[in-house]
């Protein structure tokens, strides 16, 4: 039996955007636009929070500087960092050069995140996982930017 090299590029995608119930409240953020990526890419679902050891459902968390704190004041930075490292391992394992991650998330947000006050205030910044992926040369997109990836050759 001959094994042929995979020609379809692999891409990391936040599992919640694919309909997996891993969101902090136990739900998902399923997106029809994101699901279309399956037509063009080998989609690798990831949930950095779960990969870092957090349970679902879980208390909402936001990034405040370099720390990640839950709404009730618990520090979960270590779990978010571990989840980011595990996500990077998967990206390398599958040869992913891009990721589509959940916008504004304390782990997945790219370019804009919540400010850590749990008031809905948005600030420029990246989530822990998005930041690590970018530092390692992986292009990060939000679910609003999937059209670009669908048009890419």
């Amino acid at each position: 039996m001959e094994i042929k090299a995979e020609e379809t590029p692999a891409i990391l995608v936040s599992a919640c955007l694919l309909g997996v119930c891993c969101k902090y409240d136990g739900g998902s953020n399923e997106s029809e636009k994101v699901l279309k990526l399956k037509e063009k890419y080998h989609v690798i679902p990831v949930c950095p929070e779960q990969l870092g050891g957090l349970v679902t459902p879980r208390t909402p968390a936001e990034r405040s500087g370099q720390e990640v704190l839950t709404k009730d004041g618990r520090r979960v930075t270590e779990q978010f960092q571990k989840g980011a490292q595990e996500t990077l391992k998967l990206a390398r394992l599958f040869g992913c050069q891009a990721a589509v991650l959940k916008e504004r998330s304390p782990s997945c947000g790219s370019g804009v995140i919540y400010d850590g006050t749990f008031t809905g205030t948005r600030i420029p910044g990246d989530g822990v996982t998005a930041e690590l992926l970018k530092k390692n040369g992986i292009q990060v997109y939000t679910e609003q930017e999937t059209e670009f990836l669908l048009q890419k050759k």
Side-chain angles (χ1 to χ4, degrees):
M1 180 164 120
E2 184 180 329
I3 299 175
K4 294 185 179 181
E6 181 71 37
E7 293 182 28
T8 305
I11 187 169
L12 291 177
V13 178
S14 290
C16 65
L17 295 173
L18 298 169
V20 176
C21 293
C22 56
K23 186 177 162 184
Y24 76 91
D25 63 3
S28 78
N29 295 303
E30 187 171 350
S31 166
E32 289 300 319
K33 287 193 293 187
V34 173
L35 288 170
K36 288 181 183 178
L37 290 170
K38 296 185 304 179
E39 298 168 8
K40 190 168 182 174
Y41 297 94
H42 180 75
V43 172
I44 310 299
V46 293
C47 177
E49 289 93 340
Q50 287 183 340
L51 289 170
L54 296 172
V55 299
T56 302
R58 58 191 165 274
T59 305
E62 291 186 3
R63 193 166 188 189
S64 179
Q66 293 303 308
E67 298 294 327
V68 182
L69 305 170
T70 63
K71 193 171 185 176
D72 58 8
R74 286 181 297 118
R75 183 180 178 271
V76 290
T77 308
E78 187 175 306
Q79 291 92 331
F80 274 71
Q81 290 170 338
K82 180 177 188 251
Q85 289 292 333
E86 293 300 312
T87 300
L88 179 60
K89 283 181 193 175
L90 288 169
R92 289 178 171 157
L93 179 67
F94 288 99
C96 299
Q97 295 180 4
V100 175
L101 302 178
K102 178 65 186 130
E103 61 189 10
R104 298 185 297 273
S105 157
S107 58
C108 295
S110 177
V112 177
I113 56 173
Y114 292 112
D115 72 348
T117 63
F118 298 93
T119 61
T121 304
R122 300 173 190 177
I123 59 170
D126 292 325
V128 177
T129 297
E131 180 178 87
L132 182 65
L133 293 177
K134 288 178 179 182
K135 283 181 180 174
N136 283 274
I138 297 169
Q139 184 66 46
V140 177
Y141 301 90
T142 70
E143 66 266 32
Q144 301 304 319
E145 298 170 314
T146 55
E147 200 60 43
F148 170 78
L149 289 167
L150 290 169
Q151 295 171 1
K152 200 173 176 186
K153 290 191 178 196

